[in-house]
Amino acid sequence: MSCHGPGEGDVATLGRTTEVALLGSPNTGKSSLFNRLTGLSAATGNYPGVTVTRSRGTARTSSGSVTVTDLPGTYSLEPASPDEDVVLDHLTGRQESETAPDALLVVMDSTTLYRSLALCAEALALGRPTAVVLTMVDELRARGGDLDVTGLSRALGVPVVETVAHRGRGLEDVRELLGEVASWPVALIAPPHDDAAQLSGWIRSVLDSARYRSPRSSVATSRIDAVLLHPVWGALVFLAVMFCFFQVIFTVAAPIQDAIQAVFDHWGEVAANTLGSGFLADFVGTALIGGVGGVLVFLPQILLLYLMISVLESVGYMSRAAFLMDRIMARSGLDGRAFVAMLSSTACAVPGIMATRTMPSSRDRIATIMSAPLMTCSARLPVYLLLISLLVPAEARLGPFSMQGAALFGMYLLGGLASLVVARVFKATLLRHGALPFYLEMPPYRLPTPRGILRAVWTPVWMFLRKVGTIILVVTAVLWVLINFPAREAETAHMDEAQAQSYVMENSFAGAAGKAVEPVFEPLGFDWRVDIGLIASFAAREVFVSTMGQVAAAEDPEDPGAALQQLTYTHGPHQGEPVFTPPTIVALMIFFAFAMQCVSTLATMRRETNSWKWPAIAVAYMFVLAYGAAWIGHEITAAVTR
Amino acid sequence: MTTPVVSLHPEVQADPDVVRWVLTGRTDSFTEVARSPGAALAALVRDGVLVGLAGGVGWIETTLAPGGSWRDAAATVRRAVTDHVAGTAPRELTEDDLRDLAETVLERDVAPLAGAHGGRIRIVRVAGHTVSVALDGACHGCPAARSTLQDRFQTTLRRHDPRAMVVETAGSAATAATADGVGAGAVSWLPFPRLRGRAGSRR
Ligand SMILES: Nc1nc2c(ncn2[C@@H]2O[C@H](COP(=O)(O)OP(=O)(O)OP(=O)(O)O)[C@@H](O)[C@H]2O)c(=O)[nH]1
Ligand SMILES: [Mg+2]
């Protein structure tokens, strides 16, 4: 028989587990299904283009385990953007490190079956063993649609199961199906996927056989969109929601932060009492509690930030924000698609840059990659929070609002505006042309599941904790050594403790380094201790906070909180005057807003643009921008506050 | 030449050489296809690509010559079937057509449902536009199952014949138009219909 040639269509089970690829249009629930099947935590969200890389996991079935690969969503197997390349690369096993999948599990959104079937036709034509999972059947039925799985299965010639992927309904059927992967059929006759008229005839015929009744459009969604997509109201609502969010950061997170701080303070006392006053006590008191602890206290704010991002993503707001911003983005020469990448960068620039893979135009893509690192990422948050608390008193009000919250909102706005301007400059110079029509699907609003939100918050929070426990801890410890050595016991013998600490720090290795670069940053008002923090923050921005914590704890072990405020210049024309004046703080914040201080971002840029040229340009322009804007900010603030 | 748009999809039968082209856009019978195939279909038979043609209400079956491969032939056969369908004017269903259709629908759509309820449903008689059925097993005497089955049967038939009626009779099996009432069976994910023998032998 023609269709059962050796090897063809047979699932190889010898020596390795069967490889099954999840293939489907964007936002159909592939990653939700993947997470349920494998117990892993791939990112999900209610907008197209959440997944841009592949991830592999193992699904247990009744008859052994199967390796499942989650892929980016794709509208067709003729890739139009780098994320769709990933799909084709995987299906064809083009990358050397990959083997082509043995079988395809096509995931189709049952509420948009017509479109899903076009991709399904292409998948069937590949001639691999195939099965189909239908998702969103809950929405289909709730909105008055219906379909008959048996009829669909018969028309497609492959097994079909229904699921509600994100809640795990129908999951047992999928497992059972995966267990039988060796007997999945290969489509004997490829659907006419390359002839538009015949393809639509095929799709209509299949839908008819499945007695498909398409769902009504969601009433709730169109009502909400009438407001949220309104050019004026929509933008106002967006800004208002953001503004309120930053208020919440201060009103809700600050008390929790104080509680954590109190715990650390208590530990500090316990440590001081039990360890006495040797090097170990100093290490625990300044490096661990003052330094690392100083970063850790911002956990509540980080958690809130990710909570907000994940709610926005899973409700379905990302596509709306992109649509709203499309007009504003047009001024920068980019489109709404780029805004999704920029909004993702408020978590971290790395996923933000990765998200540009969904952009079809490579010039737009590079312009977005170059500007996304200016968006305020979560690593900048602790730095801003520390500096804002030094600049703005907690009681300061702006009408009914907290002034600190307004200042933080301003920093995010600054980052956003800067990245738009930079994108505009790149589009007008190095990356001209390349405009393609903007197309982004608008999914219906969906209620997030608690489980999904928890996972979306826990993953980055855990990464933050890990970062604190690894790189931040290590760098802080190294800095402690550099700040406390050479020990200078002879010179400090006759001094009291605080004096001795200051003397040691000033003459330490770190002190020497800080003083070496001091002239460079003098115009911005930074002294050598700030410069130590600045240099160290190139390892991770949060290290600036832990370094300042160490400096403060060393200066005044009794009350490190007030120590920073009272820090004075040790020499030079301003000797004796406080360091953390408004001009210096403003300059510092602007510097952190614009400087490229993240190695992972550079590595990601290098990988995504496939050259060192773009990361090099980014480092250069961002440093110039950071220094220049910080100086201007310093001068203006000085003029205003004098 | 532009290909006319005809909604159709292939369904593989138990015998992989036989493919049923389901014409969901058409509600009339294609029993004539074997006797008077369209030019392109006729050419495929003459050239020995296809060795059999059969038709029913809303479908045409094509049988591949031994040793042939659908991979090579499918596109041509699809086009030939499309041409044949586009070139045939729709005509009214006859009583024979309706009986044919009722059997297919019963087997494909209604019997699995009845089976799931632990019952059996069979066709007793077809007259005019009326299909009389009898219910046995658990369905018998269960009003809910009864109306579901009857409803499902009738709705499906009406997609082809808007005047079709399904009525329940207490009639005995002696007058049944078909002997093989299809009964309880597992609903499988690939329910290949076992209709080929019957469809091929009629004529
Ligand atoms: N109502 C409903 N929502 C679902 C279902 N499956 C997934 N979702 C939601 O649909 C959205 C998209 O899910 P994802 O798993 O991220 O989709 P994806 O196919 O991986 O998307 P891309 O990676 O962008 O291609 C999420 O908000 C899910 O919670 C389902 O069966 N029913
Ligand atoms: Mg995904």
Side-chain angles (χ1 to χ4, degrees), chain A residues 153-154 198 205 209 211, chain B residues 9 24 78 108 156 159 189:
Chain A
S153 160
R154 186 163 48 209
Q198 285 192 30
S205 187
S209 298
R211 307 152 176 276
Chain B
H9 71 266
T24 53
R78 180 193 300 273
R108 291 178 73 155
T156 315
R159 282 148 53 125
W189 50 261

Side-chain angles (χ1 to χ4, degrees), chain A residues 13 19 112 152 179 201 208 257 323 342 409 421 445 492 497 559 602:
Chain A
T13 40
E19 295 267 350
T112 58
L152 184 61
D208 272 352
Q257 178 194 343
F323 178 84
M342 291 193 175
F409 178 63
V421 171
Y445 290 105
T492 59
E497 197 181 327
D559 186 5
L602 289 175

Side-chain angles (χ1 to χ4, degrees), chain A residues 26-32 44-45 49-51 73 136 138-139 164-166:
Chain A
N27 208 38
T28 49
K30 297 176 295 300
S31 302
S32 304
T44 64
V50 178
T51 309
M136 318 269 178
D138 52 336
E139 281 185 13
V164 179
H166 68 320

Side-chain angles (χ1 to χ4, degrees), chain A residues 456-486:
Chain A
V457 174
W458 172 245
T459 310
V461 163
W462 172 239
M463 274 167 62
F464 171 74
L465 291 176
R466 245 187 20 202
K467 192 176 176 188
V468 170
T470 52
I471 178 141
I472 294 178
L473 178 65
V474 168
V475 174
T476 306
V478 169
L479 267 175
W480 178 81
V481 172
L482 293 180
I483 285 176
N484 286 287
F485 292 92

Side-chain angles (χ1 to χ4, degrees), chain B residues 52-165:
Chain B
L53 291 175
V57 179
W59 57 267
I60 288 174
E61 271 181 10
T62 53
T63 308
L64 196 63
S69 135
W70 283 117
R71 190 174 295 255
D72 306 330
T76 339
V77 174
R78 180 193 300 273
R79 226 169 301 125
V81 170
T82 306
D83 285 347
H84 174 84
V85 173
T88 327
R91 58 175 179 81
E92 283 265 307
L93 287 188
T94 64
E95 206 176 273
D96 273 352
D97 292 339
L98 184 60
R99 180 176 302 117
D100 229 14
L101 179 66
E103 282 171 23
T104 314
V105 168
L106 178 77
E107 177 158 3
R108 291 178 73 155
D109 298 313
V110 186
L113 200 65
H117 288 268
R120 288 163 65 89
I121 178 169
R122 60 198 163 78
I123 297 170
V124 178
R125 159 179 0 98
V126 177
H129 294 279
T130 306
V131 179
S132 311
V133 297
L135 295 168
D136 314 315
C139 294
H140 183 74
C142 165
R146 212 142 73 193
S147 68
T148 318
L149 289 179
Q150 210 166 316
D151 234 45
R152 173 86 171 247
F153 203 167
Q154 185 164 299
T155 339
T156 315
L157 282 180
R158 282 193 177 171
R159 282 148 53 125
H160 299 274
D161 178 2
R163 284 178 292 178
M165 294 270 289

Side-chain angles (χ1 to χ4, degrees), chain A residues 111-327:
Chain A
T111 62
T112 58
L113 209 47
Y114 189 98
R115 202 196 43 215
S116 292
L117 277 171
L119 179 66
C120 184
E122 286 188 81
L124 289 173
L126 291 176
R128 305 259 177 85
T130 305
V132 167
V133 170
L134 290 173
T135 58
M136 318 269 178
V137 293
D138 52 336
E139 281 185 13
L140 175 75
R141 305 235 153 82
R143 282 162 36 198
D146 201 9
L147 106 174
D148 167 22
V149 222
T150 320
L152 184 61
S153 160
R154 186 163 48 209
L156 293 176
V158 300
V160 179
V161 300
E162 288 186 12
T163 62
V164 179
H166 68 320
R167 294 191 192 279
R169 229 176 67 202
L171 204 78
E172 282 320 302
D173 297 342
V174 181
R175 274 190 207 287
E176 204 174 302
L177 196 60
L178 282 173
E180 296 162 358
V181 61
S183 62
W184 289 4
V186 175
L188 191 55
I189 296 186
H193 61 98
D194 39 16
D195 176 317
Q198 285 192 30
L199 176 62
S200 89
W202 179 79
I203 294 177
R204 258 179 291 132
S205 187
V206 168
L207 288 178
D208 272 352
S209 298
R211 307 152 176 276
Y212 184 63
R213 193 164 71 226
S214 30
R216 295 182 297 269
S217 59
S218 158
V219 183
T221 295
S222 36
R223 292 227 177 108
I224 299 174
D225 274 347
V227 178
L228 290 191
L229 293 184
H230 188 279
V232 177
W233 298 128
L236 283 182
V237 168
F238 179 63
L239 284 180
V241 167
M242 289 299 125
F243 186 82
C244 291
F245 170 73
F246 290 109
Q247 292 293 316
V248 167
I249 281 219
F250 280 94
T251 50
V252 173
I256 309 177
Q257 178 194 343
D258 290 344
I260 302 179
Q261 183 70 60
V263 171
F264 279 128
D265 288 348
H266 175 69
W267 286 352
E269 274 170 41
V270 171
N273 292 341
T274 49
L275 297 175
S277 60
F279 274 122
L280 181 62
D282 189 68
F283 179 75
V284 172
T286 59
L288 289 191
I289 294 174
V292 177
V295 178
L296 216 49
V297 293
F298 293 115
L299 184 65
Q301 285 92 338
I302 302 259
L303 202 141
L304 269 182
L305 176 76
Y306 281 110
L307 183 66
M308 179 194 67
I309 295 176
S310 87
V311 167
L312 284 184
E313 285 185 342
S314 52
V315 160
Y317 190 72
M318 289 298 260
S319 291
R320 272 80 187 179
F323 178 84
L324 269 181
M325 289 299 289
D326 187 46
R327 239 185 287 177

